[in-house]
Amino acid sequence: MLNVTAPGAASLTGRVDMASSGALLAPIARLAAQGPLRLDLSGIEGADSAALALLLEAHRAAAAAGHKLTLSGVPANLAALASLYDLEPLLSIGE
């Protein structure tokens, strides 16, 4: 579930996987394109590679609009997936 917590800030909660990512794609990309976005991932209970694809699309939308996407609270399993695909620098994971 996507929760807008303040202007330029949102959080993801629950499972972010193949089943849920499709519905999250447009709203997250829209937020990322509107301005700098800080996305809190600490409420994610489970994630798979679809979550990583979702974050990459949010990053693309932000970059295309000249904005920055900042991630916080990245769960260990999602950080491990990003590491596996060498995406930590692109998504600023581990900073």
Side-chain angles (χ1 to χ4, degrees), residues 37-67:
L37 177 62
R38 179 171 187 80
L39 191 56
D40 178 6
L41 308 179
S42 63
I44 292 178
E45 297 167 4
D48 62 14
S49 59
L52 203 52
L54 178 69
L55 296 176
L56 287 170
E57 186 55 36
H59 174 75
R60 281 187 208 106
H67 303 298

Side-chain angles (χ1 to χ4, degrees), residues 11-75:
S11 65
L12 283 173
T13 58
R15 292 198 55 79
V16 181
D17 54 19
M18 191 72 103
S20 65
S21 291
L24 295 169
L25 180 60
I28 289 177
R30 193 170 31 257
L31 283 173
Q34 289 174 354
L37 177 62
R38 179 171 187 80
L39 191 56
D40 178 6
L41 308 179
S42 63
I44 292 178
E45 297 167 4
D48 62 14
S49 59
L52 203 52
L54 178 69
L55 296 176
L56 287 170
E57 186 55 36
H59 174 75
R60 281 187 208 106
H67 303 298
K68 182 174 181 174
L69 172 67
T70 305
L71 303 177
S72 65
V74 179

